[in-house]
Amino acid sequence: MRTNRAGDLRAEHIGSEVALCGWVHTRRDHGGVIFIDLRDVAGLVQVVLDPGVLPLAEELRSEFCIRVEGEVKARKEGTVNPKLGTGEVEVGAGSVEILSRSETPPFQLDEYHETDEQLRLKYRYLDLRRDSMQRNLKLRHELISAIRRFFDGEGFYEIETPMLTRATPEGARDYLVPSRVHPGRFYALPQSPQLFKQLLMVAGFDRYYQIVRCFRDEDLRADRQPDFTQLDMEMSFVDQEDVLEVTERMFKSVWKEVMGVELADFPRIPYSESMERYGSDKPDIRYGLELTDLDEVFAATEARVFRSVLDDGGAIKAITVPGQGGLPRKQLDAIVDDAKALGAGGLVWVTLSSEGLRSPMDKFFSDAERKGLVETAAASEGDLVLIVADKRKNVVYKVLGGLRTRLAERFGHVPAYEPENPDYWKFAWIVDFPWFDWNEDEARWDPIHHPFTGVVEDTAPFLETDPEKVISKSYDITLNGWELASGSIRIHDRDMQSRVFKALGISDEEANEKFGFLLDAFKFGAPPHGGIAPGIDRIVALAAGETNIREVIAFPKTQTAFDPLTGAPSTVDEAQLKILHLRSTAPSPDQES
RNA sequence: GCCCCAGUGGAGCAGCUAGGAGUGCUCAUCUCCCUGUCAAGGAGAAGGUCGCCGGUUCAAAUCCGGUCUGGGGCGCCA
């Protein structure tokens, strides 16, 4: 049907007769001559048609699917288009055939108009014709392909695990699938293949990976979809260092192959340092705006707010924003509102100008405190210092960590997308996570990672005494402020596992009920093992310079987990429910009030 | 569950702060003109219950309340 792809034509093809198939991208009708930009998966080429010879050319419209035969010709001097890869040539059409007409598209498929996302998703098959989506999905394919090549070269097997599996009571909300043959019972779609990959280790497949769909019924974000793709990986007979080494080498290999960039070694940042410096466990280290600690400066303060925070064992921290000391009051108030929205009781701003220090709190500061504040916060004339104090240290981190990314965006600290620049890619390992997190609502210790996460030996005695001091063998990868991957060395020792369950307040019976099949497996010679699971959607989005993962997913869902293309989720027939032994308690649309 | 932003001919925007006739811009669509454009150009035309419901007012795209949808965030996401 065709001899070449339109976007592939180059000067070397001049003189050859070609047949091309594709879509009418744009039409420029000059009366006596008509230019068509013909688009296919490889790109655009200009086709020149003489309507006197080919009257059908008059009928061509946007997005008609057509076939053209003709000769590749050199463009005359002065008519070369440097913006196109095919810009040195054009195709003189000898014949044209309309394969399929098109209605006028509901939106324009150019890169000059941002289109409402709901409309894009409803007509996703048209949206995907756009250049940026074609590029993103191509990049996604190339990245996944390079990942598979890497693991293949390292002796990993790709092994599939079930989609219909058992509900897990902890973690994210499950998507459930009712069983027809087992009335009243449900499968769950996997939140991750976590337990299966551990069983594969017990089974002796000591290097496993899988590009796998996972499902979590939680609210959506720019970097979260209800179904998403993970690069799931697990290894036996390894310690943390081995997993970090192979994972880092994988990213370097993939980036070199696909992005053409040699990545620097990933820095390793202990969790506690990350929180102290950035107020986040997924810091964007492409810019400064680091947190400074003002506890010392105000150690003897008389200012009541700070005094009570320090007396309660809290923290006073600040961010210095260079050059923003002249911000109008209204915008300072907006930052205070942002801080409150993030959970702060308040925020104290301090501006430094030639007239000195200005702040709503200034009258409560001593001269020594003013001096100490300026020095410790490394502020100079023209700067803005934002101070958050709270008796709960994690609130201070959360507020300043949240403000830091907002301020960086607003005041232009975030570097522009520059994929060919190795310095643009700020990967980092976050290591030495605490094992436990105090759950205020339930008044118990919860795992930060998951219940099978290994314990750093030196800190194991704290399991029974001070859970907050237990450090886990878990690790994250962050890239430019996004969490890309989480992983851990797992517990393979039954005694250690029951000590951990005990610390979590999970009884033996409960553990057996929930995870019995895994614990049983560990009775039969479980190897030491560990792994990691990077998120493919996030990797691709960052690589493509996108700020949300919908741009790298062919058919994503909206923020309410709705698919405007298919209309999913939909209602189903009573008969269908009956077979599944289900009855809906949802109010019918006309009953709602 | 909560907070913020948006919704105006087919698409993208402006108009809203300070109420006064659906006013404007870019693109698309249709008709006509045009042989070198490349986001072609020129002339003309058609196309809108200003998301929806209610309120205030002599008068609402504009002010107020509610609601729906989309987006960003908090909670949630072992």
Side-chain angles (χ1 to χ4, degrees):
Chain A
M1 203 169 197
R2 68 175 176 186
T3 61
N4 296 75
R5 301 194 304 178
D8 290 336
L9 296 179
R10 294 291 182 275
E12 68 199 65
H13 297 99
I14 290 168
S16 54
E17 287 288 329
V18 296
L20 305 174
C21 294
W23 288 265
V24 176
H25 187 66
T26 52
R27 167 184 66 114
R28 295 177 291 280
D29 184 347
H30 289 237
V33 62
I34 296 174
F35 300 99
I36 295 286
D37 285 340
L38 183 67
R39 185 190 70 238
D40 66 16
V41 71
L44 298 177
V45 73
Q46 174 163 282
V47 177
V48 187
L49 304 106
D50 180 350
V53 181
L54 297 171
L56 200 57
E58 305 259 21
E59 290 183 38
L60 300 179
R61 292 293 182 276
S62 284
E63 300 309 315
F64 275 30
C65 187
I66 64 171
R67 179 171 182 273
V68 172
E69 288 180 338
E71 187 193 343
V72 181
K73 296 174 176 169
R75 291 207 193 189
K76 289 188 191 99
E77 210 177 312
T79 65
V80 168
N81 185 350
K83 283 190 264 180
L84 291 180
T86 61
E88 288 182 51
V89 300
E90 62 190 13
V91 175
S95 75
V96 61
E97 178 187 355
I98 295 173
L99 300 173
S100 185
R101 287 170 190 270
S102 172
E103 290 183 12
T104 302
F107 54 90
Q108 282 154 259
L109 308 185
D110 57 35
E111 301 292 327
Y112 305 100
H113 296 86
E114 279 292 322
T115 304
D116 175 68
E117 260 204 78
Q118 199 173 8
L119 192 66
R120 289 177 58 197
L121 293 185
K122 183 174 178 185
Y123 297 96
R124 189 61 155 179
Y125 43 86
L126 296 179
D127 187 47
L128 292 175
R129 288 181 184 174
R130 290 166 50 241
D131 184 50
S132 64
M133 293 308 297
Q134 294 267 325
R135 267 189 284 119
N136 286 355
L137 292 187
K138 178 173 180 238
L139 178 64
R140 185 180 180 115
H141 160 75
E142 289 170 344
L143 287 165
I144 288 174
S145 172
I147 287 167
R148 286 211 160 95
R149 266 195 302 286
F150 175 85
F151 282 112
D152 191 39
E154 297 284 320
F156 283 74
Y157 296 170
E158 180 161 14
I159 302 174
E160 290 157 282
T161 50
M163 288 287 113
L164 295 174
T165 179
R166 193 193 157 108
T168 52
E170 279 151 10
R173 219 171 280 121
D174 285 316
Y175 276 100
L176 295 177
V177 180
S179 167
R180 174 180 55 85
V181 290
H182 298 283
R185 293 182 178 230
F186 297 83
Y187 301 97
L189 303 180
Q191 298 174 24
S192 85
Q194 181 62 37
L195 301 181
F196 287 106
K197 70 175 172 178
Q198 294 193 242
L199 293 174
L200 287 170
M201 294 303 109
V202 176
F205 295 101
D206 65 11
R207 293 189 153 206
Y208 144 93
Y209 83 104
Q210 187 182 188
I211 309 281
V212 62
R213 199 61 67 86
C214 302
F215 306 86
R216 293 179 190 174
D217 186 5
E218 297 293 347
D219 290 341
L220 290 82
R221 291 286 187 280
D223 60 354
R224 276 163 36 189
Q225 283 272 305
D227 52 334
F228 62 101
T229 307
Q230 281 198 343
L231 160 57
D232 195 47
M233 181 271 250
E234 194 80 4
M235 306 166 78
S236 287
F237 313 120
V238 291
D239 56 28
Q240 176 166 327
E241 195 55 41
D242 297 312
V243 179
L244 267 51
E245 188 276 330
V246 78
T247 306
E248 185 166 329
R249 201 149 45 75
M250 185 273 294
F251 275 105
K252 285 175 176 170
S253 155
V254 167
W255 244 250
K256 184 176 181 185
E257 212 176 301
V258 180
M259 310 299 290
V261 164
E262 299 264 3
L263 293 178
D265 289 344
F266 300 2
R268 296 190 187 179
I269 306 175
Y271 170 86
S272 56
E273 182 187 331
S274 182
M275 297 306 288
E276 286 290 327
R277 290 176 61 188
Y278 307 105
S280 169
D281 61 358
K282 45 175 182 171
D284 194 333
I285 55 176
R286 289 177 297 175
Y287 49 83
L289 297 179
E290 290 189 24
L291 279 54
T292 50
D293 194 327
L294 299 181
D295 288 1
E296 292 289 312
V297 173
F298 292 105
T301 191
E302 301 290 319
R304 191 172 300 166
V305 187
F306 289 179
R307 181 75 268 143
S308 70
V309 161
L310 290 177
D311 290 347
D312 287 341
I316 305 172
K317 290 181 182 298
I319 289 181
T320 302
V321 191
Q324 298 301 332
L327 224 53
R329 184 57 186 264
K330 203 173 174 179
Q331 295 191 40
L332 291 169
D333 288 343
I335 295 176
V336 173
D337 288 342
D338 280 349
K340 285 179 178 166
L342 286 164
L347 175 139
V348 178
W349 53 261
V350 176
T351 61
L352 268 70
S353 69
S354 50
E355 285 139 44
L357 189 150
R358 193 166 70 94
S359 170
M361 281 275 286
D362 184 55
K363 59 186 167 191
F364 303 109
F365 294 160
S366 69
D367 281 343
E369 284 163 8
R370 286 191 193 97
K371 187 161 174 280
L373 165 67
V374 170
E375 276 173 13
T376 307
S380 41
E381 196 177 305
D383 291 353
L384 168 68
V385 182
L386 303 169
I387 307 171
V388 173
D390 200 287
K391 61 182 177 184
R392 296 155 301 177
K393 227 175 181 180
N394 59 343
V395 170
V396 177
Y397 290 142
K398 197 174 145 278
V399 172
L400 285 177
L403 281 181
R404 179 173 175 266
T405 53
R406 285 165 175 75
L407 294 167
E409 250 167 66
R410 184 161 154 206
F411 296 122
H413 294 263
V414 182
Y417 177 60
E418 205 183 350
E420 67 285 355
N421 177 4
D423 285 339
Y424 175 78
W425 305 105
K426 294 291 189 190
F427 283 85
W429 286 105
I430 309 298
V431 295
D432 301 338
F433 281 83
W435 206 104
F436 296 94
D437 183 35
W438 180 248
N439 183 329
E440 198 78 49
D441 298 334
E442 307 283 339
R444 63 163 191 235
W445 294 100
D446 282 345
I448 283 186
H449 193 50
H450 61 59
F452 316 108
T453 304
V455 171
V456 170
E457 281 78 8
D458 296 351
T459 66
F462 294 122
L463 277 169
E464 286 78 23
T465 57
D466 301 288
E468 75 270 15
K469 291 183 183 165
V470 177
I471 301 295
S472 71
K473 293 182 182 174
S474 69
Y475 31 81
D476 282 4
I477 293 178
T478 65
L479 169 57
N480 295 355
W482 282 29
E483 181 190 308
L484 265 201
S486 271
S488 62
I489 297 298
R490 329 297 180 185
I491 299 170
H492 68 283
D493 174 82
R494 287 177 55 81
D495 290 341
M496 178 57 81
Q497 186 67 66
S498 48
R499 284 174 72 189
V500 165
F501 279 144
K502 210 167 173 187
L504 289 168
I506 298 174
S507 66
D508 289 350
E509 300 78 53
E510 206 180 336
N512 267 318
E513 162 62 23
K514 289 173 175 171
F515 315 111
F517 61 99
L518 181 72
L519 301 177
D520 281 348
F522 283 180
K523 292 175 185 168
F524 299 99
H529 62 287
I532 193 165
I536 292 286
D537 309 289
R538 292 180 185 179
I539 292 172
V540 182
L542 286 162
E546 297 288 357
T547 53
N548 80 64
I549 63 173
R550 294 184 303 277
E551 297 298 325
V552 299
I553 295 173
F555 300 103
K557 292 172 183 66
T558 67
Q559 200 167 54
T560 54
F562 178 71
D563 176 5
L565 175 66
T566 64
S570 67
T571 56
V572 296
D573 291 343
E574 277 301 318
Q576 223 174 335
L577 287 178
K578 201 174 170 192
I579 291 171
L580 296 169
H581 322 286
L582 293 177
R583 192 165 49 232
S584 174
T585 61
S588 59
D590 49 303
Q591 281 180 324
E592 280 171 0
S593 62

